[in-house]
């Protein structure tokens, strides 16, 4: 039986919109269909007036793969509705069971797509920043197969971007601390992201071309969590401090 892409897109988009979990998909779907569901569910957000902002890479670190029991790189789409202001706040009831993870953001300055080298990827970058991703699987118990999570826009739900720096910073091994109310929650290094976060941008250029699209000037690319994700709690201040790049953070409402 062929997959009903539109029905699955409506179901996952509805689960995100209403912040209610949906069961894992009843029938396994192909990876191609999973990305088609993702695209269709994001189109529903664009039809409601959100705009395309960039993409996020997922499972680019061992810590993330081990935490979720998945072992292949995935990607998802970022829209304007997912952007949380640095220092701003989110309301937990708008989410199903949100988690946060430390990332690095790239600001694309020149079109980028296809098979590129690390220097070519770097040449397309205008700026880099510390970033936090809020992931929120729409599936019950935050459990999914690889294709389930791809269909669910790779759990993408929100993101915060800190101050932009020039891209000539050495990104290979920047220490980082994720903290809740100033208490360290996770320690890591940018090296956890595929050995070097620019490798994630190289991968982003490849996957976006496979989807028949391009990274365009102004797009943001999230390189993927450098540590396992942490569950959000009410009334806390979540912060990321990254060596050289600085800090960003957000509050969770009571
Ligand atoms: C899937 C999204 C993975 C990352 O940074 O590795 C991801 C998930 O863990 O729910 O965003
Ligand atoms: Mg992530």
């Amino acid at each position: 039986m062929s997959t009903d892409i539109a029905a699955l897109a409506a179901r996952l988009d509805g689960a995100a919109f209403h912040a209610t979990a949906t069961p894992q998909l009843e029938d396994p779907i192909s990876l191609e269909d999973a990305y088609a569901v993702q695209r269709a569910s994001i189109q529903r957000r664009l039809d409601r007036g959100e705009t395309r902002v960039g993409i996020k890479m997922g499972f680019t670190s061992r810590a993330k793969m081990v935490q979720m029991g998945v072992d292949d790189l995935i990607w998802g789409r970022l829209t304007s509705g997912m952007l949380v202001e640095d220092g701003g706040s989110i309301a937990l009831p708008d989410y199903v069971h949100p988690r946060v993870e430390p990332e690095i953001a790239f600001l694309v300055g020149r079109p980028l797509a296809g098979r590129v080298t690390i220097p070519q990827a770097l040449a397309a970058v205008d700026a880099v920043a510390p970033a936090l991703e809020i992931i929120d699987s729409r599936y019950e118990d935050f459990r999914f197969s690889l294709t389930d999570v791809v269909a669910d826009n790779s759990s993408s739900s929100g993101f915060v971007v800190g101050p932009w720096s020039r891209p000539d910073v050495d990104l290979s091994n920047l220490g980082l601390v994720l903290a809740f109310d100033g208490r360290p929650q996770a320690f890591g290094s940018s090296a956890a992201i595929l050995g070097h976060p620019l490798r994630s941008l190289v991968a982003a250029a490849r996957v976006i071309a496979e989807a028949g699209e391009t990274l365009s000037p102004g797009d943001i690319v999230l390189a993927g969590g450098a540590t396992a994700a942490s569950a959000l709690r009410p009334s806390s201040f979540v912060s990321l401090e990254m060596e050289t790049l600085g800090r960003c953070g957000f509050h969770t409402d009571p």
Side-chain angles (χ1 to χ4, degrees):
M1 211 189 81
S2 70
T3 304
D4 189 339
I5 305 286
L8 290 179
R11 168 170 155 193
L12 288 163
D13 177 52
F17 189 82
H18 298 291
T20 45
T22 188
Q24 283 71 30
L25 303 187
E26 294 71 21
D27 302 310
I29 61 174
S30 69
L31 192 58
E32 200 184 337
D33 281 349
Y35 277 108
V37 172
Q38 176 189 126
R39 183 199 283 259
S41 83
I42 291 300
Q43 187 58 48
R44 296 172 63 93
R45 296 180 73 127
L46 301 180
D47 291 346
R48 290 197 295 270
E50 296 181 32
T51 55
R52 174 186 182 285
V53 170
I55 71 169
K56 57 149 296 168
M57 302 302 288
F59 302 132
T60 51
S61 70
R62 184 128 300 274
K64 283 288 306 177
M65 288 188 194
V66 169
Q67 182 180 32
M68 302 316 299
V70 171
D71 58 7
D72 226 339
L73 195 145
I74 60 174
W75 65 281
R77 297 155 198 271
L78 303 174
T79 70
S80 53
M82 301 175 191
L83 189 56
V84 176
E85 200 188 329
D86 188 15
S89 54
I90 65 166
L92 294 187
D94 292 345
Y95 302 80
V96 183
H97 33 213
R99 298 178 179 176
V100 64
E101 54 196 19
E103 306 221 1
I104 281 186
F106 294 104
L107 181 63
V108 175
R110 276 149 296 282
L112 184 66
R115 301 226 165 238
V116 297
T117 61
I118 287 188
Q120 284 169 335
L122 180 59
V125 173
D126 262 359
V128 296
L132 289 163
E133 185 181 24
I134 300 162
I135 52 169
D136 189 27
S137 177
R138 269 55 69 163
Y139 297 114
E140 287 168 354
D141 306 320
F142 222 115
R143 287 165 55 89
F144 42 69
S145 67
L146 183 81
T147 48
D148 284 1
V149 67
V150 165
D152 184 28
N153 196 30
S154 299
S155 304
S156 185
S157 184
F159 66 102
V160 177
V161 177
W164 292 110
S165 294
R166 290 162 47 98
D168 47 15
V169 172
D170 179 359
L171 298 174
S172 60
N173 184 17
L174 300 177
L176 60 92
V177 185
L178 175 75
F180 284 3
D181 295 320
R183 280 185 289 279
Q185 179 72 22
F187 296 96
S189 161
S190 60
I193 304 166
L194 292 174
H196 193 305
L198 277 171
R199 289 213 181 98
S200 180
L201 187 62
V202 167
R206 180 172 49 78
V207 298
I208 202 77
E210 284 166 7
E213 298 175 38
T214 300
L215 295 172
S216 307
D219 277 355
I220 289 172
V221 177
L222 291 180
T227 70
S230 301
L232 287 176
R233 308 177 197 135
S235 305
S236 37
F237 181 64
V238 179
S239 62
L240 168 64
E241 169 100 47
M242 199 176 293
E243 194 179 350
T244 313
L245 295 186
R247 66 177 77 198
C248 61
F250 65 97
H251 299 267
T252 60
D253 283 350

